[in-house]
């Protein structure tokens, strides 16, 4: 009976992996084909293998600048989100004040709101302040969604740290900055990794705000990929190569924080 269950679970896992990896494989497969082969035949692997699509992305400024712009504003947003969320999460986990639960819930409602709701206010504000088409514009807009998420994740990790550690450090003469950075922060490094991962991923894949608030100088790769139609039609091969390269940063981040994400699942905050 156990052996039969094991076989069923194995078959289900294999089927799930095939279902999950098939779109990625097909995108990689298309990235090494020509547009003619993509549109004319159905092949499981390239019949005319070519690197031209990747060469286009690495040599055309309109393509590779999109990756650079995305990395710049994603890095800015992640750093600012964690800088703001760490003290806020510590306050929610250690102190009780009037309306604390309501404020915490209000933060989460911002994360639940569709980005389209804030599109017009951001557009008018940035146009007035001259921040349109800048990296900081997109990074600041994404703070509205990433900070509540980071606070919620970090608060869960911080609540799991006994308060006696704080009291002992104060008795030993530690100042708050020294205690926070030398004792407390290393204890929640898993939470910081998880929060950084989700902030990175949201900013990396978000399209609506990034596309609307930029035009040329700070246009991200997600916006560039939506503008691949020319007089000759859709450039499927180059678009597939861009998609493959878009997955790479996320895969690298996941590799470095995979253990922290597993711990986040175990604590119920992911």
């Amino acid at each position: 009976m156990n052996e039969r269950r094991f076989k069923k679970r194995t078959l289900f896992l294999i089927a799930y992996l095939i279902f999950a990896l098939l779109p990625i494989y097909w995108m990689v497969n298309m990235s090494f084909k020509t547009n003619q082969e993509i549109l004319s035949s159905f092949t499981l692997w390239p019949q005319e293998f070519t690197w031209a699509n990747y060469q286009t992305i690495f040599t055309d400024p309109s393509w590779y600048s999109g990756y650079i712009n995305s990395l710049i504003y994603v890095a800015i947003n992640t750093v600012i989100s964690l800088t703001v969320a760490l003290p806020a999460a510590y306050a929610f986990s250690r102190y009780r004040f009037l309306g604390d639960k309501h404020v915490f819930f209000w933060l989460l409602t911002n994360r639940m709101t569709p980005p389209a709701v804030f599109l017009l206010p951001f557009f008018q504000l940035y146009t007035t302040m001259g921040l349109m088409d800048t990296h900081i514009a997109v990074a600041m807009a994404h703070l509205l969604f990433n900070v509540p998420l980071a606070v919620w994740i970090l608060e869960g990790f911080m609540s799991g740290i006994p308060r006696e550690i704080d009291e002992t450090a104060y008795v030993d003469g530690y100042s708050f900055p020294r205690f926070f950075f030398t004792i407390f922060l290393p204890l929640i490094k898993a939470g910081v990794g998880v929060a950084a991962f989700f902030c990175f991923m949201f900013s990396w894949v978000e399209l609506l705000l990034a596309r609307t608030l930029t035009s040329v100088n700070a246009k991200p790769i997600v916006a560039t990929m939506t503008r691949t139609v020319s007089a000759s039609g859709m450039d499927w091969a180059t678009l597939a190569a861009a998609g493959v390269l878009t997955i790479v940063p996320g895969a690298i981040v996941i590799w470095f924080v995979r253990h922290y994400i597993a711990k986040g699942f175990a604590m119920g905050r992911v």
Side-chain angles (χ1 to χ4, degrees):
M1 188 67 176
N2 291 333
E3 184 178 352
R4 186 176 300 176
R5 287 182 179 178
F6 177 77
K7 289 182 179 179
K8 288 182 179 180
R9 291 178 181 176
T10 304
L11 291 175
F12 177 79
L13 179 60
I14 293 174
Y16 173 77
L17 289 175
I18 294 175
F19 178 78
L21 295 177
L22 183 60
I24 298 177
Y25 166 75
W26 203 254
M27 184 167 59
V28 174
N29 179 35
M30 289 175 59
S31 70
F32 293 110
K33 294 180 179 181
T34 61
N35 284 317
Q36 291 75 16
E37 183 179 351
I38 293 174
L39 298 175
S40 63
S41 61
F42 179 85
T43 55
L44 295 178
W45 51 81
Q47 302 298 312
E48 300 178 12
F49 190 91
T50 177
W51 289 94
N53 303 315
Y54 290 96
Q55 184 178 0
T56 298
I57 293 175
F58 286 118
T59 57
D60 188 345
S62 64
W63 277 106
Y64 68 73
S65 63
Y67 288 99
I68 296 174
N69 292 331
S70 294
L71 288 172
I72 290 175
Y73 76 68
V74 167
I76 294 174
N77 175 266
T78 302
V79 171
I80 298 178
S81 296
L82 292 178
T83 303
V84 174
L86 279 168
Y90 182 85
F92 280 116
S93 68
R94 288 297 189 266
Y95 302 111
R96 294 292 175 263
F97 50 89
L98 183 63
D100 55 348
K101 295 182 179 179
H102 299 289
V103 174
F104 194 72
F105 177 76
W106 174 76
L107 285 174
L108 292 180
T109 57
N110 284 345
R111 184 63 184 87
M112 301 172 189
T113 306
V117 174
F118 302 100
L119 189 59
L120 182 59
F122 275 127
F123 183 83
Q124 291 185 328
L125 176 64
Y126 289 160
T127 301
T128 303
M129 299 180 63
L131 292 176
M132 286 294 295
D133 198 22
T134 61
H135 301 104
I136 192 65
V138 184
M140 296 296 288
H142 287 174
L143 287 178
L144 188 63
F145 305 94
N146 281 345
V147 169
L149 179 63
V151 170
W152 181 69
I153 293 174
L154 291 170
E155 191 274 338
F157 280 86
M158 291 180 179
S159 295
I161 305 298
R163 297 190 180 188
E164 289 75 13
I165 294 179
D166 306 44
E167 297 169 358
T168 302
Y170 297 150
V171 170
D172 291 341
Y174 279 75
S175 62
F176 179 78
R178 183 186 174 192
F179 156 74
F180 191 83
F181 288 105
T182 61
I183 298 178
F184 194 77
L185 197 58
L187 295 176
I188 60 165
K189 61 181 180 181
V192 175
V194 173
F197 165 74
F198 280 102
C199 291
F200 176 91
M201 292 306 300
F202 174 83
S203 289
W204 183 256
V205 303
E206 197 279 326
L207 172 61
L208 184 60
L209 290 173
R211 183 178 182 179
T212 306
L213 300 178
T214 60
S215 56
V216 179
N217 297 326
K219 184 170 68 174
I221 187 59
V222 290
T224 304
M225 291 175 65
T226 62
R227 303 170 183 173
T228 54
V229 181
S230 62
S232 58
M234 182 73 76
D235 191 352
W236 295 106
T238 304
L239 186 60
V244 172
L245 294 176
T246 303
I247 294 175
V248 172
I252 294 175
V253 173
I254 291 175
W255 173 261
F256 282 107
V257 302
R258 63 191 187 280
H259 299 303
Y260 297 153
I261 295 176
K263 188 172 181 180
F265 275 111
M267 295 188 65
R269 279 299 190 189
V270 179

